[in-house]
Every structure is written in structure tokens, then in C-alpha cells.
Amino acid sequence: MFLKTLIAVVFLAMLTSLAAGVGFLLRDDSSSRRLLVSLKIRVSLAALLLALLFYGFYFGSLGEI
């Protein structure tokens, strides 16, 4: 159950980073680096999410109902 909760938290953090990135894209000027930082965070969270999913399916934590 802990793994499923952790996956949900990482997914929600990705959505938050996506929303922040859209806000930075619409509001900031072209010299701001906040959009790039938001993208780096989102890519790192996506890699973590994939690793958690792989771990869950490989060890059977997510394969059962």
C-alpha cells in the first residue's frame, strides 16, 4: 500500500510541476530560467515514477488486485 501511495504522490508532484511550468511560460520573460528548472524537476519525477512502477511490477507489489 505504501508503494501505491508513493506513486500517487510522485504523480501529483509531476502535475504540480507541469502547472507551475505553464504559469512560468505565460508570465515570465525570455531570460527567466524557472521554466527550465520546472522541466528538470518534471523529468526527474518522471524517471522516479518509472522506477517505482518497474519496481512494483517486478516484485509483484502492483500486479495483484
Side-chain angles (χ1 to χ4, degrees), residues 11-54:
F11 183 73
L12 289 175
M14 280 181 58
L15 289 180
T16 303
S17 176
L18 179 63
V22 169
F24 298 150
L25 180 65
L26 294 176
R27 277 188 247 126
D28 287 352
D29 57 351
S30 61
S31 64
S32 177
R33 300 185 56 88
R34 292 196 303 178
L35 181 63
L36 179 62
V37 171
S38 176
L39 177 64
K40 288 178 186 178
I41 291 171
R42 196 165 51 250
V43 168
S44 300
L45 287 171
L48 177 62
L49 182 64
L50 284 174
L52 288 172
L53 287 171
F54 178 75

